[in-house]
């Protein structure tokens, strides 16, 4: 009897015929081979089921294989891990989700036509959830292939209603709805295209003007490419103004002219656009599509493979593009400010002063502001500060670097009483600084009544939510540990967590908590032990408890070091 080769070699042999040498070579150097082999076998089984049986025995085998594939699909779709919303990138739960959806993508061709509507209805809520883009890409590809079976009915049942839900409070699924709709139109039959592109473009177009930068840019890229590739889908005034703004100056025409000529849009399209046109729905639900060439609705193999074989998704590509553009703009703005006129005290000339003197208004500051008190206006320290700390604070010499310790981030908090209470608590525990989305909140009478001048002694940094990710990445590069107060599948109980000396402590929104795109950046998440039935604490209370725990830990350490020195 011939000896069987090791599993890794068997996997490479199976993958070679089905996937080609490129993916086989990639998989053989990672821990993917066992899964590659299994996915290849599933794919081969699904391919055989599509062939017409030659006799009764073959027909029975085909029926058994179809039942096996359908059973595996439904059992895997009920996996508990798929229902968990909050998790961190590269965590065990994130990897489990990726493996489940990769297998589901390869199993999806087993879905019979009679169950298309049922399975589409099962999958669509997953696209409205909070899964990250690397997971969502597989759900999108499965749904695209299902919708292509009955494009008109399923577009009207799922895609268009999601795009028209402008009043909804949560919009996690908008990018998926735009991508699914655009790719269905690209690959549907001509008759279906003509029936669908009008309602789809009309429903999706408002998202090109939404306030969320990444989603707005994402919608602009997808819709512009769709309309350029299918000029028959454009209103007449758009087609007649291909080289500029038409005399009629319609909104459609001017927007399309902007998309064609704007330098930033050209850079974005040259970087990410080709993948939209090269996407192959059939290949996306094969092992090659799931593990290498990209199951997502944009992107190719040249983009590289990351965790669990997943390529970069279009939404991640758009977000990275915007981050780099903001960084370049910030660098340019810094250079311009260095060239500006300085006031006697060395401060840059303000926009108001420029405007008042008849000069041009200065560019808006791209630096994140910190609350400062002019040292000559400080009559003395507040009674709550004593010793050297009070002296430094009173002279206006305190800074984030000198105070050290933790920085509390409350940019996601919008209620004035909570912000005021957090400011007061931060000052009491001598936080290095507190981050808010808009420092004008300190002028609110309700804020002043609760904070009792705490904002005058605590450094405040202004970072609006759209810039929060970039700011947190900068703090990590400076040596800060990113910690979020959130209940997740992998959060640590607050008393069990050892706070680093320099850390950024992030609080979530009052109801929704920390958004997924920010949650995935954190180094740690902590949760406060609860004994009652209410799901969560007020955000100010949560922040106060966390700050107390941090202060207690480090005060204990400092007393221990002092006692050791005295001995």
């Amino acid at each position: 009897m011939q000896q069987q080769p090791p599993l890794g070699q068997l996997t490479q042999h199976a993958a070679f015929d089905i996937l080609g040498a490129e993916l086989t070579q990639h998989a053989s150097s990672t821990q993917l081979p066992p899964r590659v082999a299994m996915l290849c076998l599933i794919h081969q089984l699904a391919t055989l089921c599509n062939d017409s049986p030659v006799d009764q025995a073959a027909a029975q085998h085909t029926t058994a294989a179809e039942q096996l594939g359908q059973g595996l699909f439904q059992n895997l779709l009920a996996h508990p891990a798929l229902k968990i919303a909050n998790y961190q990138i590269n965590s065990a739960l994130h990897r489990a989700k990726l493996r489940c959806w990769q297998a589901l993508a390869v199993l999806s061709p087993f879905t019979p036509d009679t169950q298309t509507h049922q399975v589409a209805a099962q999958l669509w809520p997953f696209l409205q959830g909070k899964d990250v883009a690397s997971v969502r890409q597989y759900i999108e590809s499965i749904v695209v292939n299902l919708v292509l079976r009955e494009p008109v009915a399923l577009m009207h049942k799922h895609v268009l209603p999601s795009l028209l839900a402008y009043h909804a409070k949560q919009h996690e699924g908008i990018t998926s709805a735009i991508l699914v709709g655009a790719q269905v139109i690209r690959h549907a039959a001509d008759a279906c295209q003509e029936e669908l592109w009008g309602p789809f473009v009309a429903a999706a177009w408002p998202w090109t003007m939404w306030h969320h930068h990444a989603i707005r840019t994402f919608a602009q890229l997808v819709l512009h490419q769709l309309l350029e590739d299918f000029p028959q889908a454009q209103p007449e005034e758009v087609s007649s103004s291909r080289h500029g703004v038409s005399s009629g100056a319609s909104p459609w025409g001017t927007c399309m002219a902007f998309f064609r000529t704007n330098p930033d849009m050209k850079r974005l399209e040259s970087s990410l656009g080709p993948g939209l046109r090269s996407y192959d729905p059939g290949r996306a639900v094969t092992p090659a599509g799931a593990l290498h060439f990209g199951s997502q609705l944009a992107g190719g193999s040249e983009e590289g493979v990351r965790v669990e074989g997943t390529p970069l998704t279009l939404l991640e590509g758009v977000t990275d593009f915007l981050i780099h553009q903001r960084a370049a703009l910030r660098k340019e703005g810094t250079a311009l400010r260095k060239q500006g006129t300085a006031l006697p005290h060395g401060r840059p000339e303000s926009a108001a002063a420029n405007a008042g003197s008849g000069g041009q208004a200065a560019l808006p500051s791209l630096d994140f502001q910190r609350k400062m008190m002019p040292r000559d206006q400080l009559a003395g320290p507040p009674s709550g500060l004593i010793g050297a700390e009070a002296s430094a604070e009173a002279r206006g010499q305190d800074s984030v670097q000198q105070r050290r310790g933790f920085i509390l981030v409350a940019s996601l908090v919008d209620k004035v009483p909570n912000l005021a209470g957090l400011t007061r608590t931060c000052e009491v525990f001598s936080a290095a600084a507190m981050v808010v989305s808009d420092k004008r909140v300190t002028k609110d009478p309700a804020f002043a009544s609760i904070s009792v001048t705490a904002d005058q002694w605590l450094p405040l940094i202004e970072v609006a939510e759209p810039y929060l990710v970039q700011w947190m990445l900068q703090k990590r590069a400076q040596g800060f540990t990113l910690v979020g107060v959130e209940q997740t599948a992998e959060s640590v109980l607050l008393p069990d967590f050892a706070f680093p000396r320099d850390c950024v402590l992030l609080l979530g929104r009052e109801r929704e908590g920390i958004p997924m795109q920010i949650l995935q950046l954190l180094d740690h998440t902590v949760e406060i032990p609860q004994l009652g039935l209410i799901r969560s604490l007020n955000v100010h209370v949560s922040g106060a408890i966390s700050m107390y725990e941090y202060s207690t830990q480090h005060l204990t350490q400092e007393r221990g070091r002092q006692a050791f020195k005295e001995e």
Side-chain angles (χ1 to χ4, degrees), residues 1-174:
M1 182 175 179
Q2 186 178 2
Q3 185 179 3
Q4 291 291 333
L7 178 60
Q9 296 180 17
L10 178 64
T11 301
Q12 295 174 37
H13 178 73
F16 187 88
D17 293 335
I18 300 175
L19 307 179
E22 184 180 5
L23 179 55
T24 303
Q25 182 179 4
H26 162 75
S28 64
S29 61
T30 69
Q31 297 180 359
L32 290 175
R35 286 199 299 118
V36 171
M38 184 57 65
L39 293 179
C40 289
L41 292 174
I42 293 173
H43 175 66
Q44 188 75 356
L45 193 61
T47 303
L48 293 175
C49 289
N50 292 330
D51 297 336
S52 299
V54 295
D55 52 32
Q56 184 177 0
Q60 292 176 348
H61 294 160
T62 299
T63 301
E66 290 175 346
Q67 291 175 350
L68 174 63
Q70 294 166 22
L72 288 172
F73 184 89
Q74 289 298 328
N75 286 337
L76 196 54
L77 193 59
H79 195 289
L82 302 185
K83 297 180 175 61
I84 300 177
N86 294 331
Y87 52 93
Q88 294 180 359
I89 292 295
N90 296 333
S91 65
L93 180 58
H94 178 217
R95 291 177 177 271
K97 278 176 168 279
L98 288 172
R99 293 169 182 171
C100 285
W101 284 113
Q102 287 168 347
L104 284 166
V106 179
L107 284 166
S108 61
F110 282 104
T111 303
D113 291 339
T114 56
Q115 296 182 17
T116 296
H117 281 262
Q118 174 187 341
V119 176
Q122 287 179 286
L123 293 176
W124 193 255
F126 285 103
L127 287 181
Q128 309 307 304
K130 297 183 178 181
D131 276 308
V132 296
S134 58
V135 172
R136 188 184 296 269
Q137 60 180 318
Y138 299 106
I139 315 173
E140 292 167 349
S141 283
I142 301 172
V143 171
V144 166
N145 281 276
L146 291 174
V147 175
L148 281 172
R149 298 182 181 183
E150 297 186 41
V152 176
L154 290 173
M155 284 281 286
H156 282 279
K157 185 176 182 180
H158 297 295
V159 179
L160 295 179
S162 295
L163 293 174
L164 292 170
Y166 306 130
H167 60 283
K169 293 184 178 180
Q170 302 295 329
H171 300 291
E172 282 84 1
I174 288 302

Side-chain angles (χ1 to χ4, degrees), residues 240-251:
S240 63
S241 60
R242 297 188 63 84
H243 301 291
V245 180
S246 65
S247 58
S250 71

